[in-house]
Amino acid sequence: MTRLSNVRLICGIALAVLPAYTTVSAQQQPLSPSVTATGASYLLPETRITATVTVTHRTYSPGELARYAERYLRLSDVRLQHAEEWEIQNIGLRLDGVPDTRNIYVAEFGKNSGAPVVRLTGQGVLSSVNAPYETIADEPACADVPVRVISEKSSRTEDPKHYLTEEILLSGSNAKMAELVAREIYDIRESRNMITRGQADYIPSDGESVKYVLQQLDAQEQSLLTMFTGISSEETLEYTFGCIPDSAIVGHMLFRFSVRLGVLENDNLAGDPVWIDVENTTQGLRKPSESKQKSAMLYYRVPGTARIRIYNNRSIFVESSRPVSQFGYTAAVSQDMFGKGRKPVLIFDSVTGALKSVQ
Protein backbone atom coordinates (compact mmCIF):
# COMPACT_ATOMS: atom_id res chain seq x y z
CA MET A 1 0.00 0.00 0.00
CA THR A 2 1.07 3.59 -0.61
CA ARG A 3 2.36 5.21 2.58
CA LEU A 4 2.93 8.84 3.48
CA SER A 5 5.60 9.98 5.91
CA ASN A 6 3.04 11.15 8.45
CA VAL A 7 0.74 8.14 8.22
CA ARG A 8 1.38 4.77 9.79
CA LEU A 9 -0.69 1.75 8.82
CA ILE A 10 -1.27 -0.67 11.64
CA CYS A 11 -3.54 -3.49 12.79
CA GLY A 12 -4.09 -3.92 16.54
CA ILE A 13 -6.13 -6.10 18.90
CA ALA A 14 -7.54 -4.63 22.13
CA LEU A 15 -7.54 -7.26 24.88
CA ALA A 16 -9.16 -7.47 28.29
CA VAL A 17 -7.87 -5.42 31.24
CA LEU A 18 -5.23 -6.76 33.62
CA PRO A 19 -4.32 -5.64 37.16
CA ALA A 20 -1.71 -2.95 37.44
CA TYR A 21 0.04 0.58 38.73
CA THR A 22 1.66 4.79 39.72
CA THR A 23 5.10 8.97 40.29
CA VAL A 24 5.99 9.24 36.59
CA SER A 25 8.49 10.34 34.00
CA ALA A 26 8.56 9.83 30.24
CA GLN A 27 11.61 7.83 29.24
CA GLN A 28 13.07 6.43 26.06
CA GLN A 29 14.38 3.09 27.26
CA PRO A 30 13.77 -0.58 26.47
CA LEU A 31 11.20 -1.22 29.21
CA SER A 32 8.06 -3.30 28.97
CA PRO A 33 4.69 -2.37 30.47
CA SER A 34 4.40 -4.08 33.85
CA VAL A 35 3.26 -3.65 37.44
CA THR A 36 5.22 -4.41 40.60
CA ALA A 37 4.79 -3.74 44.31
CA THR A 38 6.83 -0.54 44.05
CA GLY A 39 5.68 0.91 40.74
CA ALA A 40 4.63 0.38 37.17
CA SER A 41 5.62 1.12 33.61
CA TYR A 42 2.88 1.78 31.09
CA LEU A 43 1.99 3.18 27.69
CA LEU A 44 -0.50 5.78 26.51
CA PRO A 45 -2.70 5.19 23.48
CA GLU A 46 -2.77 6.91 20.14
CA THR A 47 -5.85 6.90 17.97
CA ARG A 48 -6.14 4.69 14.93
CA ILE A 49 -8.72 5.66 12.29
CA THR A 50 -10.35 2.62 10.72
CA ALA A 51 -12.58 2.73 7.65
CA THR A 52 -15.01 -0.19 7.33
CA VAL A 53 -16.00 -0.60 3.68
CA THR A 54 -19.16 -2.57 2.88
CA VAL A 55 -19.46 -3.68 -0.75
CA THR A 56 -21.92 -5.81 -2.69
CA HIS A 57 -20.74 -8.26 -5.34
CA ARG A 58 -23.35 -9.39 -7.88
CA THR A 59 -22.78 -12.04 -10.55
CA TYR A 60 -24.98 -13.54 -13.27
CA SER A 61 -24.31 -16.67 -15.33
CA PRO A 62 -26.67 -17.30 -18.28
CA GLY A 63 -28.43 -20.65 -18.65
CA GLU A 64 -27.34 -22.97 -21.43
CA LEU A 65 -30.79 -22.59 -23.06
CA ALA A 66 -31.08 -18.84 -22.48
CA ARG A 67 -31.46 -17.98 -26.19
CA TYR A 68 -34.66 -20.07 -26.35
CA ALA A 69 -36.36 -18.52 -23.29
CA GLU A 70 -38.47 -16.12 -25.39
CA ARG A 71 -39.51 -18.78 -27.93
CA TYR A 72 -40.63 -21.51 -25.54
CA LEU A 73 -41.41 -19.75 -22.24
CA ARG A 74 -42.23 -16.19 -23.34
CA LEU A 75 -39.46 -14.82 -21.08
CA SER A 76 -38.29 -11.62 -22.77
CA ASP A 77 -35.82 -10.19 -20.21
CA VAL A 78 -33.35 -13.07 -20.04
CA ARG A 79 -29.71 -11.99 -20.36
CA LEU A 80 -27.39 -13.94 -22.63
CA GLN A 81 -23.99 -12.74 -21.33
CA HIS A 82 -22.12 -13.30 -18.09
CA ALA A 83 -22.20 -10.19 -15.89
CA GLU A 84 -20.34 -9.13 -12.74
CA GLU A 85 -20.73 -5.93 -10.74
CA TRP A 86 -19.33 -4.45 -7.53
CA GLU A 87 -20.88 -1.57 -5.59
CA ILE A 88 -19.82 0.34 -2.46
CA GLN A 89 -22.81 0.30 -0.13
CA ASN A 90 -21.33 2.16 2.80
CA ILE A 91 -18.10 3.27 4.46
CA GLY A 92 -18.20 3.45 8.24
CA LEU A 93 -15.71 5.11 10.57
CA ARG A 94 -14.30 3.56 13.73
CA LEU A 95 -11.69 4.85 16.18
CA ASP A 96 -9.46 2.39 18.02
CA GLY A 97 -6.79 2.94 20.62
CA VAL A 98 -3.40 1.37 19.94
CA PRO A 99 -0.38 1.65 22.25
CA ASP A 100 2.13 4.38 21.42
CA THR A 101 5.30 2.35 21.88
CA ARG A 102 7.60 5.30 21.15
CA ASN A 103 7.34 6.44 24.78
CA ILE A 104 7.00 4.35 27.92
CA TYR A 105 6.08 5.97 31.24
CA VAL A 106 7.46 4.87 34.59
CA ALA A 107 5.45 5.29 37.80
CA GLU A 108 7.03 4.77 41.22
CA PHE A 109 4.90 4.32 44.33
CA GLY A 110 5.85 6.84 46.97
CA LYS A 111 5.41 6.27 50.69
CA ASN A 112 2.48 8.68 50.79
CA SER A 113 0.79 7.49 47.64
CA GLY A 114 -1.60 5.18 49.46
CA ALA A 115 -0.57 2.14 47.37
CA PRO A 116 -2.95 2.88 44.50
CA VAL A 117 -4.33 -0.01 42.45
CA VAL A 118 -3.53 0.61 38.81
CA ARG A 119 -4.78 -1.41 35.88
CA LEU A 120 -3.34 -1.68 32.40
CA THR A 121 -4.95 -3.08 29.31
CA GLY A 122 -3.59 -6.25 27.79
CA GLN A 123 -1.44 -4.04 25.56
CA GLY A 124 0.05 -2.18 28.51
CA VAL A 125 -2.02 1.02 28.16
CA LEU A 126 -3.08 2.86 31.32
CA SER A 127 -6.72 1.96 32.03
CA SER A 128 -7.69 2.94 35.60
CA VAL A 129 -6.55 3.74 39.12
CA ASN A 130 -8.33 2.42 42.24
CA ALA A 131 -11.40 1.40 40.23
CA PRO A 132 -13.37 -1.67 41.42
CA TYR A 133 -12.66 -4.48 38.98
CA GLU A 134 -16.33 -5.07 38.18
CA THR A 135 -16.73 -1.45 37.03
CA ILE A 136 -14.07 -1.80 34.32
CA ALA A 137 -15.63 -2.87 31.03
CA ASP A 138 -13.68 -5.06 28.67
CA GLU A 139 -12.23 -3.18 25.75
CA PRO A 140 -13.98 -3.75 22.42
CA ALA A 141 -12.18 -6.07 20.06
CA CYS A 142 -10.68 -4.12 17.16
CA ALA A 143 -8.77 -6.73 15.22
CA ASP A 144 -8.82 -6.11 11.50
CA VAL A 145 -10.13 -8.87 9.28
CA PRO A 146 -8.97 -8.12 5.70
CA VAL A 147 -12.21 -9.44 4.19
CA ARG A 148 -15.35 -10.61 5.97
CA VAL A 149 -18.41 -12.05 4.22
CA ILE A 150 -21.54 -10.57 5.78
CA SER A 151 -24.27 -12.23 3.71
CA GLU A 152 -24.75 -14.41 0.65
CA LYS A 153 -27.75 -15.27 -1.49
CA SER A 154 -28.08 -17.12 -4.77
CA SER A 155 -30.74 -18.33 -7.18
CA ARG A 156 -28.79 -21.57 -7.59
CA THR A 157 -30.94 -24.67 -7.17
CA GLU A 158 -30.39 -28.41 -7.45
CA ASP A 159 -28.68 -29.48 -10.66
CA PRO A 160 -31.47 -29.45 -13.30
CA LYS A 161 -29.90 -32.46 -15.05
CA HIS A 162 -31.27 -34.58 -12.19
CA TYR A 163 -34.77 -33.95 -13.60
CA LEU A 164 -34.03 -34.49 -17.29
CA THR A 165 -35.68 -37.45 -18.97
CA GLU A 166 -33.92 -39.84 -21.33
CA GLU A 167 -35.63 -38.17 -24.29
CA ILE A 168 -34.27 -34.78 -23.25
CA LEU A 169 -30.74 -36.06 -22.68
CA LEU A 170 -30.67 -37.77 -26.07
CA SER A 171 -32.03 -34.77 -27.98
CA GLY A 172 -29.76 -33.93 -30.89
CA SER A 173 -29.66 -30.13 -30.56
CA ASN A 174 -30.06 -27.34 -28.02
CA ALA A 175 -33.19 -26.19 -29.77
CA LYS A 176 -34.80 -29.62 -29.36
CA MET A 177 -33.60 -29.83 -25.76
CA ALA A 178 -35.11 -26.41 -25.03
CA GLU A 179 -38.45 -27.53 -26.49
CA LEU A 180 -38.51 -30.70 -24.37
CA VAL A 181 -37.40 -28.95 -21.16
CA ALA A 182 -40.07 -26.29 -21.67
CA ARG A 183 -42.66 -29.04 -22.15
CA GLU A 184 -41.49 -30.63 -18.88
CA ILE A 185 -41.92 -27.30 -17.09
CA TYR A 186 -45.47 -26.94 -18.44
CA ASP A 187 -46.28 -30.51 -17.34
CA ILE A 188 -45.06 -29.70 -13.80
CA ARG A 189 -47.23 -26.59 -13.70
CA GLU A 190 -50.25 -28.52 -14.92
CA SER A 191 -49.71 -31.23 -12.28
CA ARG A 192 -49.49 -28.59 -9.54
CA ASN A 193 -52.66 -26.90 -10.74
CA MET A 194 -54.54 -30.20 -10.83
CA ILE A 195 -53.53 -30.98 -7.24
CA THR A 196 -54.45 -27.54 -5.91
CA ARG A 197 -57.84 -27.74 -7.67
CA GLY A 198 -58.47 -31.24 -6.38
CA GLN A 199 -58.69 -32.66 -9.91
CA ALA A 200 -55.61 -34.90 -9.93
CA ASP A 201 -56.02 -38.67 -10.28
CA TYR A 202 -54.24 -39.16 -6.97
CA ILE A 203 -54.06 -36.67 -4.11
CA PRO A 204 -52.48 -37.56 -0.74
CA SER A 205 -55.01 -37.80 2.06
CA ASP A 206 -53.19 -35.63 4.63
CA GLY A 207 -52.21 -31.98 4.31
CA GLU A 208 -48.51 -32.48 5.07
CA SER A 209 -48.13 -34.95 2.23
CA VAL A 210 -49.87 -32.57 -0.16
CA LYS A 211 -47.56 -29.79 0.97
CA TYR A 212 -44.51 -32.00 0.41
CA VAL A 213 -45.61 -32.95 -3.12
CA LEU A 214 -46.21 -29.31 -4.05
CA GLN A 215 -42.77 -28.35 -2.68
CA GLN A 216 -41.14 -31.03 -4.80
CA LEU A 217 -42.94 -29.81 -7.91
CA ASP A 218 -41.85 -26.22 -7.17
CA ALA A 219 -38.23 -27.33 -6.71
CA GLN A 220 -38.25 -29.21 -10.01
CA GLU A 221 -39.74 -26.25 -11.88
CA GLN A 222 -37.26 -23.74 -10.44
CA SER A 223 -34.35 -26.05 -11.19
CA LEU A 224 -35.37 -26.56 -14.82
CA LEU A 225 -36.07 -22.83 -15.24
CA THR A 226 -32.43 -22.02 -14.49
CA MET A 227 -31.50 -23.69 -17.77
CA PHE A 228 -33.26 -20.69 -19.39
CA THR A 229 -33.01 -17.86 -16.83
CA GLY A 230 -29.48 -18.55 -15.57
CA ILE A 231 -28.13 -18.16 -12.03
CA SER A 232 -27.78 -14.92 -10.09
CA SER A 233 -25.82 -14.53 -6.87
CA GLU A 234 -25.10 -11.69 -4.48
CA GLU A 235 -22.73 -11.42 -1.56
CA THR A 236 -21.97 -8.57 0.79
CA LEU A 237 -18.39 -8.23 2.01
CA GLU A 238 -16.65 -5.99 4.51
CA TYR A 239 -13.09 -4.66 4.21
CA THR A 240 -11.16 -2.67 6.82
CA PHE A 241 -8.42 -0.10 6.27
CA GLY A 242 -6.66 1.62 9.16
CA CYS A 243 -4.18 4.44 9.53
CA ILE A 244 -2.59 6.34 12.40
CA PRO A 245 -1.97 9.97 11.39
CA ASP A 246 0.94 11.64 13.15
CA SER A 247 -0.24 14.97 11.74
CA ALA A 248 -2.79 16.28 9.27
CA ILE A 249 -2.94 14.36 5.98
CA VAL A 250 -4.51 15.20 2.63
CA GLY A 251 -5.27 12.82 -0.20
CA HIS A 252 -3.95 9.63 1.40
CA MET A 253 -5.17 6.70 -0.71
CA LEU A 254 -6.94 4.01 1.31
CA PHE A 255 -7.69 1.66 -1.60
CA ARG A 256 -8.79 1.52 -5.21
CA PHE A 257 -12.21 0.39 -6.38
CA SER A 258 -13.58 -0.95 -9.67
CA VAL A 259 -17.21 -1.77 -10.50
CA ARG A 260 -15.88 -4.79 -12.42
CA LEU A 261 -13.16 -5.99 -10.04
CA GLY A 262 -14.15 -4.66 -6.61
CA VAL A 263 -11.71 -3.49 -3.92
CA LEU A 264 -8.12 -3.38 -5.18
CA GLU A 265 -4.63 -2.63 -3.90
CA ASN A 266 -3.31 0.91 -4.25
CA ASP A 267 -0.94 -0.01 -7.08
CA ASN A 268 -3.66 -1.63 -9.21
CA LEU A 269 -4.57 1.06 -11.75
CA ALA A 270 -7.65 -0.87 -12.87
CA GLY A 271 -9.57 0.84 -10.05
CA ASP A 272 -10.33 4.44 -9.10
CA PRO A 273 -8.76 5.75 -5.86
CA VAL A 274 -10.65 6.32 -2.62
CA TRP A 275 -8.87 8.89 -0.42
CA ILE A 276 -8.88 10.00 3.19
CA ASP A 277 -8.21 13.49 4.57
CA VAL A 278 -7.54 14.06 8.26
CA GLU A 279 -7.56 17.76 9.17
CA ASN A 280 -6.33 18.84 12.60
CA THR A 281 -9.09 21.16 13.88
CA THR A 282 -7.91 21.30 17.50
CA GLN A 283 -8.67 24.66 19.10
CA GLY A 284 -8.43 26.08 22.58
CA LEU A 285 -6.13 23.43 24.08
CA ARG A 286 -3.42 24.94 26.27
CA LYS A 287 -0.52 22.73 27.21
CA PRO A 288 0.27 22.82 30.97
CA SER A 289 3.46 24.37 32.30
CA GLU A 290 6.58 22.29 32.92
CA SER A 291 6.26 22.83 36.69
CA LYS A 292 2.95 20.97 36.69
CA GLN A 293 4.45 18.20 34.60
CA LYS A 294 7.34 17.75 37.07
CA SER A 295 4.92 17.22 39.99
CA ALA A 296 3.12 14.45 38.13
CA MET A 297 1.91 11.24 39.70
CA LEU A 298 1.04 9.85 36.28
CA TYR A 299 0.33 11.01 32.74
CA TYR A 300 -2.67 10.84 30.43
CA ARG A 301 -3.71 12.31 27.09
CA VAL A 302 -5.85 15.35 26.33
CA PRO A 303 -7.01 14.54 22.79
CA GLY A 304 -7.40 17.04 20.00
CA THR A 305 -10.04 16.94 17.28
CA ALA A 306 -9.90 16.00 13.62
CA ARG A 307 -12.22 16.40 10.68
CA ILE A 308 -12.13 13.18 8.68
CA ARG A 309 -13.25 12.88 5.06
CA ILE A 310 -13.31 9.71 2.93
CA TYR A 311 -14.16 10.28 -0.72
CA ASN A 312 -13.56 9.52 -4.39
CA ASN A 313 -13.98 11.56 -7.55
CA ARG A 314 -17.78 11.31 -7.38
CA SER A 315 -18.89 10.99 -3.76
CA ILE A 316 -18.08 11.86 -0.16
CA PHE A 317 -18.63 8.70 1.87
CA VAL A 318 -17.65 10.03 5.31
CA GLU A 319 -17.34 13.52 6.78
CA SER A 320 -17.08 13.63 10.55
CA SER A 321 -15.29 15.30 13.48
CA ARG A 322 -13.72 12.92 15.99
CA PRO A 323 -11.31 13.10 18.96
CA VAL A 324 -7.76 12.03 18.09
CA SER A 325 -5.19 11.43 20.80
CA GLN A 326 -2.08 12.48 18.89
CA PHE A 327 -3.58 15.87 17.93
CA GLY A 328 -3.67 16.88 21.60
CA TYR A 329 -1.01 16.79 24.33
CA THR A 330 0.14 14.79 27.34
CA ALA A 331 -1.12 16.05 30.72
CA ALA A 332 -0.31 15.11 34.28
CA VAL A 333 -2.23 14.04 37.38
CA SER A 334 -0.65 15.79 40.36
CA GLN A 335 0.92 13.89 43.24
CA ASP A 336 -1.25 16.00 45.57
CA MET A 337 -4.29 14.01 44.49
CA PHE A 338 -2.68 10.92 46.05
CA GLY A 339 -1.95 12.49 49.41
CA LYS A 340 -2.10 10.58 52.66
CA GLY A 341 -5.43 8.87 53.15
CA ARG A 342 -6.67 9.70 49.65
CA LYS A 343 -7.72 7.05 47.15
CA PRO A 344 -9.04 8.78 44.03
CA VAL A 345 -10.74 6.64 41.38
CA LEU A 346 -9.57 7.52 37.88
CA ILE A 347 -10.94 6.02 34.65
CA PHE A 348 -9.10 6.56 31.34
CA ASP A 349 -10.36 6.26 27.77
CA SER A 350 -8.56 3.38 26.06
CA VAL A 351 -9.05 4.97 22.59
CA THR A 352 -7.92 8.56 23.22
CA GLY A 353 -6.07 8.24 26.54
CA ALA A 354 -8.31 10.95 28.04
CA LEU A 355 -9.22 11.11 31.71
CA LYS A 356 -12.89 10.07 31.54
CA SER A 357 -13.86 10.43 35.17
CA VAL A 358 -12.46 11.29 38.62
CA GLN A 359 -14.09 10.35 41.90
Side-chain angles (χ1 to χ4, degrees):
M1 279 184 137
T2 301
R3 303 184 181 212
L4 301 185
S5 59
N6 56 358
V7 180
R8 286 169 291 130
L9 304 183
I10 189 170
C11 169
I13 304 175
L15 305 176
V17 286
L18 299 176
Y21 182 103
T22 190
T23 283
V24 149
S25 60
Q27 299 186 6
Q28 296 278 1
Q29 41 182 301
L31 298 176
S32 298
S34 61
V35 179
T36 67
T38 59
S41 57
Y42 63 91
L43 303 170
L44 295 180
E46 53 186 349
T47 304
R48 179 182 64 169
I49 299 171
T50 300
T52 303
V53 184
T54 304
V55 300
T56 298
H57 179 209
R58 303 181 184 92
T59 59
Y60 168 76
S61 299
E64 60 181 292
L65 304 177
R67 69 176 65 182
Y68 303 102
E70 169 68 24
R71 181 191 304 181
Y72 293 111
L73 295 175
R74 295 295 185 266
L75 299 176
S76 58
D77 57 349
V78 173
R79 292 178 289 175
L80 303 180
Q81 302 295 326
H82 176 84
E84 188 168 1
E85 179 187 29
W86 293 79
E87 180 183 4
I88 296 177
Q89 297 294 336
N90 178 63
I91 297 182
L93 199 63
R94 185 182 81 222
L95 300 185
D96 300 319
V98 296
D100 182 358
T101 56
R102 293 169 295 185
N103 291 285
I104 189 165
Y105 297 81
V106 179
E108 297 176 357
F109 301 141
K111 293 182 179 179
N112 298 323
S113 65
V117 178
V118 178
R119 290 191 173 95
L120 308 182
T121 71
Q123 294 179 309
V125 173
L126 181 62
S127 174
S128 68
V129 178
N130 294 329
Y133 187 81
E134 60 272 14
T135 65
I136 306 299
D138 287 347
E139 300 168 47
C142 64
D144 279 350
V145 179
V147 185
R148 183 168 69 96
V149 178
I150 298 176
S151 65
E152 292 181 283
K153 59 181 180 180
S154 174
S155 62
R156 185 178 299 277
T157 60
E158 189 176 354
D159 188 348
K161 290 184 172 57
H162 294 167
Y163 301 114
L164 299 185
T165 64
E166 181 181 6
E167 182 182 7
I168 296 174
L169 292 172
L170 295 177
S171 57
S173 66
N174 282 345
K176 183 61 176 179
M177 176 179 284
E179 178 186 354
L180 295 175
V181 172
R183 186 185 302 169
E184 192 74 14
I185 292 172
Y186 288 127
D187 287 345
I188 291 171
R189 291 175 179 176
E190 184 178 358
S191 297
R192 183 172 57 231
N193 290 337
M194 296 291 284
I195 292 174
T196 56
R197 293 170 185 169
Q199 299 174 350
D201 294 337
Y202 171 75
I203 301 176
S205 57
D206 63 288
E208 285 300 319
S209 296
V210 173
K211 182 179 178 180
Y212 174 77
V213 170
L214 292 175
Q215 287 176 343
Q216 291 301 305
L217 291 173
D218 288 341
Q220 291 178 32
E221 180 186 355
Q222 294 303 316
S223 181
L224 292 173
L225 274 173
T226 61
M227 297 184 70
F228 294 93
T229 60
I231 297 172
S232 299
S233 64
E234 178 179 305
E235 62 177 349
T236 302
L237 303 99
E238 187 178 89
Y239 298 78
T240 54
F241 300 91
C243 69
I244 301 177
D246 291 324
S247 59
I249 59 176
V250 177
H252 172 67
M253 192 188 305
L254 282 179
F255 61 95
R256 287 182 180 270
F257 182 79
S258 165
V259 294
R260 294 188 302 105
L261 302 173
V263 175
L264 304 172
E265 295 289 338
N266 290 7
D267 56 359
N268 191 333
L269 300 182
D272 297 326
V274 175
W275 297 286
I276 183 172
D277 292 350
V278 182
E279 177 187 0
N280 189 345
T281 58
T282 303
Q283 296 180 353
L285 291 183
R286 301 181 62 182
K287 192 172 181 179
S289 63
E290 289 189 13
S291 60
K292 290 186 177 181
Q293 297 280 51
K294 290 179 180 178
S295 64
M297 182 68 172
L298 67 150
Y299 291 107
Y300 63 96
R301 290 274 169 81
V302 177
T305 57
R307 175 166 292 279
I308 303 167
R309 293 174 70 244
I310 300 177
Y311 57 98
N312 62 11
N313 286 324
R314 295 174 296 278
S315 304
I316 296 177
F317 300 105
V318 173
E319 189 164 19
S320 178
S321 291
R322 300 293 182 91
V324 172
S325 175
Q326 51 270 37
F327 286 0
Y329 63 87
T330 302
V333 175
S334 173
Q335 294 184 24
D336 296 338
M337 184 177 288
F338 295 87
K340 189 174 182 180
R342 296 178 182 175
K343 276 190 171 292
V345 177
L346 311 178
I347 306 295
F348 300 92
D349 190 310
S350 62
V351 174
T352 65
L355 180 58
K356 293 173 62 176
S357 67
V358 181
Q359 299 178 16

